[in-house]
Amino acid sequence: MTFGQKVKFRRKELGLTQIELALKANISQSYLSQLENNVFNPTAPIIVRLALVLEVSIDYLLLDERKAV
């Protein structure tokens, strides 16, 4: 799964709309949409805020689980 797919999957698991997540993460809904669709790569502060709001680790958002560590 890509970063955007993971954000979208977890957002839906938590029952949040894009607007709700964007407000909680202090980003615009349009930027969140672009992140979920892999248009942009997020900055480190955005990754941290999304991980906190989505209640997941930064590793979960960034690492490709298909690759061995």
Side-chain angles (χ1 to χ4, degrees), residues 42-62:
T43 62
I46 299 294
I47 294 168
V48 171
R49 289 200 308 253
L50 286 171
L52 288 171
V53 173
L54 293 171
E55 301 172 0
V56 296
S57 69
I58 293 169
D59 285 352
Y60 167 79
L61 291 177
L62 295 180

Side-chain angles (χ1 to χ4, degrees), residues 1 4 7 13 18 24 38-41 43-44 47-48 56 59 65 67 69:
M1 248 191 287
V7 169
E13 272 190 331
Q18 280 189 345
K24 289 177 183 245
N38 299 300
V39 174
F40 291 119
N41 290 320
T43 62
I47 294 168
V48 171
V56 296
D59 285 352
E65 66 277 358
K67 294 181 182 175
V69 176

Side-chain angles (χ1 to χ4, degrees), residues 6-67:
K6 289 177 183 180
V7 169
K8 185 175 184 177
F9 177 80
R10 183 64 180 147
R11 173 177 63 76
K12 289 185 174 196
E13 272 190 331
L14 294 173
L16 297 171
T17 65
Q18 280 189 345
I19 293 170
E20 290 169 330
L21 177 55
L23 286 171
K24 289 177 183 245
N26 197 28
I27 59 176
S28 71
Q29 181 273 327
S30 61
Y31 181 64
L32 175 59
S33 176
Q34 291 171 327
L35 289 176
E36 286 187 353
N37 289 297
N38 299 300
V39 174
F40 291 119
N41 290 320
T43 62
I46 299 294
I47 294 168
V48 171
R49 289 200 308 253
L50 286 171
L52 288 171
V53 173
L54 293 171
E55 301 172 0
V56 296
S57 69
I58 293 169
D59 285 352
Y60 167 79
L61 291 177
L62 295 180
L63 295 179
D64 184 350
E65 66 277 358
R66 294 173 294 168
K67 294 181 182 175

